[in-house]
Amino acid sequence: MASRSHVDINERRLRPIYDCLDNGNNKKAIQEADKVLKKQKDLTCAKVLKALALLRMGRHAEGSSLLSTIHQSEPTEEQTLNAMSICYKETQQYDKIASLYDAASKQQPNNEDILSCLFMAHVRLGNYQQQQRTAMQLHKLRPKKNPYYFWAVMSIVMQAYQNEQLGKTMFLPLAEKMIKKYIQEDKIEAEAEIHLYLIILELQQNWTEALQVLEGPLGAFLGNELHSKETRLATICSKLSKWDRVSSIYKQLLDQMPDNWDFWLKYQEAVFHLVEDSYRDMKQEPSSDDSTPNTHAHLEAMQKFIEDKIQSMQNGVMMRGPYLAEIEFVKQISIRKLTTTSINQKSALKLLQEYFQHFGNKSSCYNDIKLYLDLLQAQELDQLLEFMKSDTGLESSDGSLIYARDVNQLTKHLVYLQLTRTMGKHSLLSIQEALALSQELLLRYRDGLQFGKELLPTDIQYSDNYLLLAVHLLLDVWSKTKDDVHLWRAIVHLELAIRDSVSNYQIKLLLIRLYCRKGVFGPCPALYDGMEIKHIMNDTLGHIVSNDVIRLGHFMEAGTMYATMVRFFVVNQKEASEHLMSSYKFGSFGRIHEFVQFQERLDNSLQYHTASTEKMLLELIMQTDRHESTEAAANGMNVHPLTDKTIDLSKLCDNRDLTLALAWDPPELLCATENRQKSFEEEKSWLLLRWTLLHVLLLAVMVGQEMAGVGVVNGNEENTEKKSPLKLLRQRAKDLQNCVQQCQGHKQPNQYHVVQGPSRTRLAEFVSGPHITAVTSVIDCIEYVYSLSQSGLDECQDVKVWALVKDSTQKLVLKDVQGLLKDCDGKRQLDSLALEQLVASVESISYITIMLGVCSKGLKILKNDWLKKFKKNKALHNSQPEIFDKFNQLILDVSASTKELHQIASCLDPVFSSLDIASLRLADIPDEEQIQREAERLVWTKVESSVQQSSGEICEVLHHKQFYLNTLML
Amino acid sequence: MTTIRPFRCDDLFRFNNVNLDPLTETYGLPFYLQYLAHWPEYFQVLESPSGEIMGYIMGKAEGSGEQWHGHVTALSVAPEFRRLGLAGKLMNGLEDISEKKQCYFVDLFVRVSNKVAVAMYEKLGYSVYRRVLEYYSGEVDEDAFDMRKALSRDKEKKSVIPLPHPVRPDELD
């Protein structure tokens, strides 16, 4: 009792500190902690809470040193340990949590709570061996608590995943033995334990044993998940080639759920295995006659089973499963080249026609039929189209337009049209025909809107896909003719459609795509935000904007967008281990490996690495108008250029969702797989180039700090050997040139599918343009200045380094930019290429400025030294070394190039170039189309303000760079 | 025709076509992962023959005594796969599991404005148990219906007798 009241007093004393911390009042928390400590010097927890407050206030040095003193005293008191864990979690020093509890458990080896916290600390670190050891300690302490024992087993299984070879020979057999022991001693208590046993057996591909478990008394433990026992049994039986058994399991499941597609596929697979087995038997015993009774018996039975299922629906709800199963049956027979003389089988064409008749009014029918188009010959495809056309009843022979009567008919017609496109029929149309069809679909779209009058704003209009098809046709024409009129029309139609269907993300996706294609980023943030892209979508959908936002010079927006994307990943990394711990707590052993893999996929996400690299490069451009601010920005980055290893491209995961945008083009035009691969390679090369560039800049900044005698922050490790920033800078500069060398194949920008393809990077511009040469030319200057700072001005020679920088900087100034519009075969086209080049040049000028800042830093020191000497001994030198003047001259030259770029950027601004974009009518919409004309004007306003913004932001950045350059004069 | 299978982490990379629906909330990762770790059998996904995610259901079992019940946390079907009865299929599955776990009832919350959903749940045997004031926050806060369906263990169907007055979110248990 006495000790209990002691705890209560402590709790009461600490409460005010906790309250302050919870309210974010860190200053007051420190005062409260000091008050408590005055009364009770040895109340360790109060000290920890003070440290926490210090850390939260950003006073890291004080907080950390306080913590480390407490850490060394090896506390064991629960509240103190908890508070310390919070400190370490917030500073992401997870290894210290483990060492904290490790020390505590040595002091109190029989404390279950401490041990269990230690186990979780190892889970957070992914240290499976230590997990196993700690779990066994817990087990010895509480032998009756099953979970501890199985935590140990699971930790062994995780080691098997880590090391496949040892897994097979050591870890899995050990894990199996441990569970067998519990089975023999009749100690199994929970479903989770049997699940774990099955996982172990399956990993060892010990199917026979797994089958025994499922069928034996232990199988009774299973059964919480729907059909999971049956499907698991079937999977094991198929591993053992017990096809008879598999087929009967799935038959039973299909009796209950005749619409489950997976069951149908597996059932058919099993039966076809039986068929092939009986063929083989027959060949071995050639005595029987030609007929193959067994084979046919299997096939006939399956066909009968499918037909029965179809029959049984006649008076009830129509389900797609059995119908599609019948088509799948035909497909399998054709793939497996089985002779089916005795089976009375319908043709694939007939079956697809029937399928369309039954289910054409469901939009999913398109995807279903598409799966089986391969079964048909060219002539049959035409027959299918012909059939669908007449079945929808909306295509008259005299060319007059018949509109859909209801949503069902409309959907059916859309399925027909989409399949027409997939079969490549739209590619065969002439320009006139394509435009006419597009016009017809627009009329159908508008008429179809009547069916959606009652829809909520959160619903999507039934007829929207008519519009998308019409727009895709316009884009076909645009691709063929290169005439932007069609593209602008497409944009106008989409802008109008979004008003009637505000929730249709397909329209927003396509608008973003098309605007970016024309160099207009202004309208995109609102469209992107309108899709409510958040959390994991930052990973899968961030690519929609992340390349274009910076390419088109919307620097501010880029900063916001990259920050949002990076935040998702960083927050996730902090929380990642929480659900691993819950899995151990709830015994969801099947999830643990899955969670670990999932986390790896996020940590290695291409989007994450791209966004964080771009974010840092952007900070070096945006937050710098003098060299001090550059140094501050560089120091604040979570990158350690001296110790970081080159980014490992082979580990990167492509988590982009590239199939979201609807496109009904034939597979050979979409090239989905090929495009993904090509774009992933491009993105990886681009990332490596940008990553290396970032490191070049950060190392350069470090060289400057070294010359000034400032201690260089050396990575996150405390005891690394001292590395020279300059040496590494040389290495990275070489890496950068290698990157460019290896990207010679990327000199022309990749073009992907206009609707669905990924967006391209800026690799082509950086590889073929003057940028990398310009950046590396300044590295030579830094090297030279550094050597002078070591050897003194006396070694000063006339070197060419300055001239090279001047030349390459001048190449960054774009030539022959006539403004925003250019004439292409007598047509006015918006020219976005100039904008892209300009942005790249602005970036390069910014990087060059930073590196000149490094030179200036070194030279200023040299000049001061010289001035001191000069004052002491005026007779010795009568003129200042000419290097200072040469450098000043270079700054003036770079500044002049910056001014020229500024001039070009202002010319892009339609206001300054007195260009009235709105009057241009690039979409050429006839006067009678009142609403469209209006929308066209609106589009032009958006274009105008977007270009204005790009131009304005570019000028702003250049303005800062000029200021920066001025501060560099000696 | 559809494949129903347990939801996997990797599905989170592919469920955009479902989640870009404005009434479907995209939660932070811990939320999904907690459900996967704690109630894996209550998190099921529908996949089409061509491999797209058609929809999913996410739920849990909670409560003590006669309040032990199955709860539908999220249910959504992608626009192009609506009108196929898929939501009903997912709900049936969740009810089956709740029966197995001997729950007394299944409940769910739905925006009062979402008439399509309310009608669908009514068709599936659910009825409004109570109205929850300003349950959904947004530009304009919106009320929710707490809808329930009794399971076989609740023989007298006590769990679904409607409450006469609406409640506030902080009064929910």
Side-chain angles (χ1 to χ4, degrees):
Chain A
M1 278 311 280
S3 80
R4 180 69 222 160
S5 64
H6 177 66
V7 169
D8 286 345
I9 290 170
N10 284 352
E11 259 182 24
R12 212 178 53 227
R13 287 192 174 151
L14 294 171
R15 177 70 14 226
I17 318 180
Y18 278 115
D19 288 343
C20 294
L21 284 167
D22 286 346
N23 298 329
N25 196 343
N26 296 317
K27 215 168 151 187
K28 183 120 186 282
I30 294 174
Q31 289 167 356
E32 291 288 340
D34 285 336
K35 225 180 342 180
V36 174
L37 285 168
K38 222 176 247 173
K39 275 187 222 152
Q40 198 178 341
K41 249 197 300 201
D42 58 343
L43 188 55
T44 321
C45 191
K47 289 186 201 161
V48 180
L49 294 177
K50 183 178 171 182
L52 181 60
L54 287 168
L55 288 172
R56 286 188 177 169
M57 285 172 82
R59 289 157 69 177
H60 287 278
E62 289 165 82
S64 301
S65 93
L66 187 53
L67 269 185
S68 96
T69 320
I70 305 167
H71 198 117
Q72 277 158 17
S73 74
E74 305 192 342
T76 54
E77 191 251 328
E78 191 193 330
Q79 224 170 2
T80 307
L81 292 172
N82 267 339
M84 287 192 76
S85 303
I86 295 173
C87 294
Y88 289 141
K89 260 187 238 171
E90 291 191 2
T91 49
Q92 288 161 67
Q93 295 174 292
Y94 304 124
D95 50 334
K96 293 210 172 145
I97 304 181
S99 89
L100 179 73
Y101 280 104
D102 196 37
S105 79
K106 283 196 179 112
Q107 302 264 334
Q108 297 192 3
N110 291 332
N111 187 325
E112 186 182 353
D113 287 341
I114 289 180
L115 268 180
S116 144
C117 287
L118 178 60
F119 177 81
M120 291 306 172
H122 289 312
V123 169
R124 195 177 273 118
L125 290 169
N127 190 339
Y128 307 130
Q129 222 175 340
Q130 291 300 324
Q131 273 177 226
Q132 181 193 342
R133 198 182 58 87
T134 315
M136 281 316 282
Q137 273 176 286
L138 277 163
H139 166 63
K140 289 204 181 105
L141 197 65
R142 297 275 179 272
K144 290 212 169 122
K145 284 196 179 171
N146 264 19
Y148 294 147
Y149 187 74
F150 286 88
W151 286 3
V153 178
M154 187 64 215
S155 304
I156 296 170
V157 173
M158 288 312 288
Q159 293 174 67
Y161 278 117
Q162 223 172 16
N163 186 334
E164 210 176 317
Q165 194 51 42
L166 275 182
K168 268 186 208 144
T169 54
M170 193 174 91
F171 293 122
L172 292 173
L174 173 63
E176 185 184 338
K177 221 173 93 191
M178 284 177 72
I179 296 192
K180 270 199 175 132
K181 180 168 175 271
Y182 259 48
I183 295 172
Q184 277 152 12
E185 293 170 9
D186 206 18
K187 284 186 185 164
I188 295 290
E189 283 175 356
E191 181 173 357
E193 297 161 7
I194 295 304
H195 268 299
L196 183 54
Y197 189 35
L198 283 171
I199 291 172
I200 294 164
L201 292 173
E202 284 167 7
L203 280 173
Q204 297 184 91
Q205 309 200 340
N206 189 346
W207 309 115
T208 323
E209 192 102 22
L211 186 60
Q212 280 171 13
V213 173
L214 271 177
E215 291 182 314
L218 293 173
F221 277 100
L222 303 173
N224 240 339
E225 286 191 41
L226 275 188
H227 308 299
S228 69
K229 196 172 163 185
E230 290 92 331
T231 48
R232 198 155 197 165
L233 192 63
T235 312
I236 291 168
C237 286
S238 50
K239 296 287 181 188
L240 292 164
S241 300
K242 292 177 184 285
W243 301 116
D244 239 337
R245 185 81 193 276
V246 178
S247 107
S248 79
I249 292 173
Y250 281 114
K251 262 172 89 167
Q252 276 173 21
L253 285 172
L254 283 166
D255 283 335
Q256 299 165 43
M257 304 174 73
D259 208 25
N260 191 312
W261 186 237
D262 193 43
F263 294 169
W264 276 114
L265 289 180
K266 290 191 168 136
Y267 162 66
Q268 292 201 5
E269 189 200 356
V271 176
F272 280 112
H273 273 290
L274 287 171
V275 171
E276 276 155 15
D277 286 353
S278 60
Y279 262 125
R280 212 173 306 124
D281 295 347
M282 198 185 64
K283 275 180 195 154
Q284 281 160 1
E285 293 168 50
S287 57
S288 57
D289 58 67
D290 267 355
S291 70
T292 52
N294 237 337
T295 314
H296 283 162
H298 289 307
L299 288 179
E300 275 167 31
M302 172 149 61
Q303 197 181 25
K304 172 120 196 343
F305 183 70
I306 297 171
E307 274 169 8
D308 285 350
K309 286 279 167 286
I310 293 177
Q311 278 304 317
S312 67
M313 290 185 302
Q314 286 314 317
N315 299 316
V317 184
M318 290 279 270
M319 281 180 286
R320 299 176 301 151
Y323 284 95
L324 210 65
E326 198 176 14
I327 309 176
E328 179 69 24
F329 176 67
V330 173
K331 179 179 169 182
Q332 289 301 328
I333 284 177
S334 127
I335 288 176
R336 292 163 196 267
K337 300 197 170 57
L338 295 173
T339 44
T340 52
T341 38
S342 71
I343 291 184
N344 195 3
Q345 185 194 319
K346 285 184 193 164
S347 74
L349 175 63
K350 182 85 186 113
L351 288 172
L352 286 169
Q353 287 172 344
E354 285 178 8
Y355 193 81
F356 181 76
Q357 264 181 319
H358 290 307
F359 303 107
N361 58 352
K362 314 282 184 193
S363 44
S364 58
C365 182
Y366 164 77
N367 277 320
D368 296 342
I369 290 188
K370 191 178 140 194
L371 279 179
Y372 295 101
L373 290 181
D374 285 349
L375 286 175
L376 304 184
Q377 309 288 330
Q379 200 191 349
E380 289 172 310
L381 286 173
D382 289 339
Q383 280 174 289
L384 178 62
L385 282 183
E386 213 34 60
F387 174 85
M388 292 193 287
K389 186 171 159 184
S390 69
D391 190 61
T392 53
L394 293 181
E395 304 270 338
S396 67
S397 48
D398 61 355
S400 62
L401 215 53
I402 310 168
Y403 290 113
R405 282 186 315 273
D406 54 28
V407 174
N408 279 334
Q409 203 183 15
L410 178 144
T411 311
K412 213 167 186 180
H413 191 227
L414 277 169
V415 171
Y416 154 70
L417 288 167
Q418 288 156 6
L419 284 166
T420 311
R421 188 166 173 86
T422 302
M423 291 182 206
K425 300 296 176 196
H426 287 183
S427 323
L428 303 175
L429 300 176
S430 71
I431 306 279
Q432 268 63 42
E433 286 167 333
L435 289 175
L437 180 56
S438 172
Q439 190 55 36
E440 177 195 321
L441 295 179
L442 268 176
L443 294 174
R444 289 190 184 278
Y445 158 71
R446 279 182 217 152
D447 186 76
L449 286 176
Q450 61 174 305
F451 303 118
K453 282 199 180 117
E454 302 291 309
L455 289 175
L456 298 168
T458 46
D459 288 317
I460 291 174
Q461 285 291 340
Y462 300 114
S463 74
D464 278 353
N465 283 357
Y466 270 136
L467 178 103
L468 286 178
L469 274 165
V471 163
H472 290 186
L473 281 158
L474 283 174
L475 295 174
D476 289 349
V477 175
W478 174 62
S479 298
K480 277 186 196 159
T481 61
K482 308 277 177 236
D483 185 347
D484 281 358
V485 163
H486 306 292
L487 180 101
W488 291 118
R489 274 199 191 164
I491 291 180
V492 168
H493 291 317
L494 290 167
E495 284 280 10
L496 278 169
I498 198 90
R499 297 181 191 173
D500 287 309
S501 200
V502 287
S503 299
N504 192 332
Y505 62 84
Q506 290 292 346
I507 300 179
K508 295 175 195 173
L509 266 179
L510 193 48
L511 272 172
I512 292 178
R513 174 55 61 94
L514 298 182
Y515 274 127
C516 287
R517 241 348 221 273
K518 289 320 290 171
V520 179
F521 195 79
C524 299
L527 291 163
Y528 186 76
D529 291 344
M531 288 164 69
E532 283 195 66
I533 287 175
K534 51 186 174 181
H535 302 303
I536 196 169
M537 290 175 172
N538 280 298
D539 189 12
T540 52
L541 295 177
H543 68 92
I544 296 171
V545 287
S546 57
N547 279 332
D548 292 310
V549 63
I550 184 74
R551 179 173 72 87
L552 301 172
H554 284 239
F555 297 105
M556 301 290 281
E557 191 60 50
T560 315
M561 285 178 156
Y562 293 141
T564 310
M565 290 171 199
V566 172
R567 198 179 311 122
F568 159 72
F569 290 100
V570 173
V571 168
N572 167 256
Q573 281 166 349
K574 286 187 187 164
E575 291 166 340
S577 43
E578 301 301 320
H579 37 268
L580 274 178
M581 293 190 247
S582 343
S583 301
Y584 281 100
K585 281 181 197 148
F586 300 128
S588 307
F589 296 120
R591 289 283 178 219
I592 290 171
H593 185 237
E594 189 186 342
F595 283 167
V596 170
Q597 281 184 312
F598 179 63
Q599 192 54 41
E600 281 173 4
R601 222 180 135 177
L602 289 171
D603 289 343
N604 294 320
S605 157
L606 168 75
Q607 189 64 29
Y608 171 39
H609 289 278
T610 313
S612 62
T613 307
E614 290 298 333
K615 176 173 175 271
M616 288 185 273
L617 282 170
L618 192 64
E619 281 164 6
L620 288 178
I621 299 174
M622 299 295 285
Q623 298 177 4
T624 53
D625 54 4
R626 62 184 76 225
H627 200 65
E628 291 73 30
S629 45
T630 304
E631 288 181 341
N635 289 340
M637 287 173 188
N638 190 20
V639 180
H640 309 288
L642 288 183
T643 46
D644 283 353
K645 290 205 181 73
T646 307
I647 189 165
D648 184 358
L649 297 180
S650 67
K651 273 193 177 165
L652 289 182
C653 297
D654 186 357
N655 298 336
R656 295 174 298 167
D657 182 350
L658 294 174
T659 51
L660 187 64
L662 284 172
W664 300 280
D665 296 20
E668 64 272 17
L669 287 182
L670 272 181
C671 303
T673 325
E674 193 198 336
N675 273 344
R676 174 184 278 281
Q677 228 171 0
K678 218 165 98 181
S679 142
F680 190 33
E681 287 309 316
E682 180 189 334
E683 291 279 355
K684 282 197 280 192
S685 305
W686 175 236
L687 173 60
L688 183 61
L689 191 142
R690 300 290 280 177
W691 187 92
T692 315
L693 184 58
L694 173 69
H695 280 248
V696 162
L697 293 168
L698 295 178
L699 285 165
V701 172
M702 282 185 170
V703 172
Q705 287 166 321
E706 200 193 333
M707 285 190 287
V710 179
V712 170
V713 188
N714 194 3
N716 48 356
E717 292 157 59
E718 279 152 17
N719 297 320
T720 46
E721 55 183 300
K722 195 165 161 47
K723 283 185 184 163
S724 145
L726 186 76
K727 216 171 125 192
L728 213 59
L729 173 62
R730 272 193 217 124
Q731 180 56 47
R732 293 292 180 211
K734 231 177 259 164
D735 293 349
L736 192 59
Q737 276 157 339
N738 283 342
C739 280
V740 176
Q741 274 304 314
Q742 272 158 21
C743 292
Q744 289 305 304
H746 288 288
K747 281 192 163 174
Q748 285 301 317
N750 277 331
Q751 288 298 356
Y752 302 103
H753 190 270
V754 61
V755 175
Q756 208 189 49
S759 64
R760 66 175 172 87
T761 67
R762 300 186 290 154
L763 189 56
E765 171 63 20
F766 273 74
V767 170
S768 61
H771 309 281
I772 302 299
T773 322
V775 168
T776 45
S777 69
V778 202
I779 298 178
D780 294 340
C781 299
I782 293 180
E783 278 201 56
Y784 179 59
V785 173
Y786 185 85
S787 73
L788 290 181
S789 82
Q790 300 293 312
S791 59
L793 279 174
D794 300 337
E795 299 297 313
C796 191
Q797 291 158 355
D798 189 28
V799 284
K800 296 222 159 56
V801 286
W802 313 120
L804 278 174
V805 177
K806 183 187 169 187
D807 289 350
S808 54
T809 308
Q810 277 172 347
K811 287 197 185 111
L812 291 172
V813 179
L814 279 57
K815 300 282 177 300
D816 307 323
V817 181
Q818 282 135 10
L820 208 54
L821 297 169
K822 71 174 177 197
D823 267 331
C824 258
D825 302 327
K827 289 181 187 102
R828 290 160 310 213
Q829 310 270 38
L830 198 64
D831 180 18
S832 62
L833 198 66
L835 180 59
E836 182 176 346
Q837 288 174 338
L838 185 61
V839 171
S841 289
V842 168
E843 262 189 61
S844 297
I845 282 279
S846 304
Y847 303 146
I848 288 168
T849 306
I850 287 175
M851 296 206 287
L852 288 174
V854 174
C855 294
S856 163
K857 188 161 180 147
L859 288 171
K860 274 180 183 163
I861 297 166
L862 284 168
K863 191 172 177 184
N864 276 339
D865 291 347
W866 179 82
L867 279 174
K868 273 182 214 156
K869 265 192 212 164
F870 179 72
K871 276 179 196 157
K872 270 188 199 159
N873 191 350
K874 284 188 180 172
L876 202 65
H877 294 278
N878 46 13
S879 68
Q880 124 171 327
E882 60 177 356
I883 180 170
F884 299 135
D885 283 336
K886 279 196 174 165
F887 183 77
N888 282 344
Q889 185 54 47
L890 174 64
I891 297 294
L892 291 175
D893 293 334
V894 175
S895 203
S897 298
T898 310
K899 256 182 218 133
E900 283 182 73
L901 283 173
H902 194 287
Q903 182 66 27
I904 298 170
S906 336
C907 285
L908 283 190
D909 187 330
V911 174
F912 285 105
S913 59
S914 55
L915 177 71
D916 184 6
I917 296 189
S919 68
L920 287 177
R921 298 190 55 181
L922 293 197
D924 251 350
I925 286 164
D927 282 329
E928 56 269 26
E929 298 278 1
Q930 253 295 314
I931 303 168
Q932 288 188 51
R933 287 282 298 135
E934 205 180 293
E936 187 194 8
R937 271 194 290 275
L938 199 74
V939 167
W940 286 114
T941 324
K942 287 184 182 182
V943 171
E944 198 168 50
S945 71
S946 173
V947 176
Q948 218 171 329
Q949 197 177 340
S950 299
S951 154
E953 288 197 30
I954 290 170
C955 289
E956 177 82 8
V957 170
L958 288 170
H959 187 73
H960 282 292
K961 293 312 123 180
Q962 278 196 306
F963 183 87
Y964 193 159
L965 285 166
N966 282 338
T967 65
L968 301 183
M969 299 286 279
L970 302 172
Chain B
M1 123 257 36
T2 317
T3 298
I4 298 192
R5 58 164 179 77
F7 196 95
R8 294 190 289 258
C9 286
D10 279 354
D11 293 323
L12 294 167
F13 292 110
R14 316 196 294 128
F15 70 174
N16 293 322
N17 61 329
V18 182
N19 273 42
L20 286 172
D21 172 83
L23 289 183
T24 305
E25 180 67 22
T26 301
Y27 300 98
L29 286 182
F31 195 69
Y32 297 109
L33 299 181
Q34 183 203 355
Y35 274 80
L36 284 172
H38 200 155
W39 302 281
E41 66 278 11
Y42 270 104
F43 204 164
Q44 300 281 325
V45 62
L46 298 171
E47 206 170 48
S48 77
S50 41
E52 294 124 316
I53 292 187
M54 307 163 91
Y56 60 85
I57 194 166
M58 188 167 135
K60 59 183 171 184
E62 60 182 7
S64 52
E66 291 193 354
Q67 291 302 310
W68 172 242
H69 69 286
H71 174 73
V72 185
T73 304
L75 168 65
S76 186
V77 174
E80 66 264 42
F81 299 110
R82 291 190 186 152
R83 300 161 66 227
L84 293 169
L86 296 179
K89 214 177 263 186
L90 288 168
M91 289 296 290
N92 288 338
L94 188 133
E95 288 160 18
D96 284 352
I97 295 163
S98 302
E99 285 282 1
K100 271 195 180 175
K101 289 187 180 280
Q102 303 199 312
C103 292
Y104 286 88
F105 60 94
V106 170
D107 76 348
L108 56 89
F109 292 94
V110 59
R111 285 174 191 273
V112 292
S113 67
N114 194 347
K115 290 189 186 118
V116 182
V118 173
M120 178 196 78
Y121 290 128
E122 278 170 348
K123 222 169 111 188
L124 293 170
Y126 288 75
S127 54
V128 174
Y129 167 67
R130 57 187 168 183
R131 189 178 177 120
V132 188
L133 299 168
E134 293 169 356
Y135 179 77
Y136 295 100
S137 45
E139 275 170 43
V140 183
D141 290 348
E142 193 180 343
D143 295 355
F145 285 134
D146 176 357
M147 297 184 79
R148 286 186 177 187
K149 179 178 180 173
L151 296 181
S152 59
R153 191 170 178 191
D154 179 15
K155 291 199 179 68
E156 294 156 41
K157 302 208 180 299
K158 283 199 286 196
S159 61
V160 295
I161 300 168
L163 290 191
H165 304 295
V167 296
R168 305 207 58 83
D170 51 13
E171 296 169 84
L172 295 172
D173 28 60

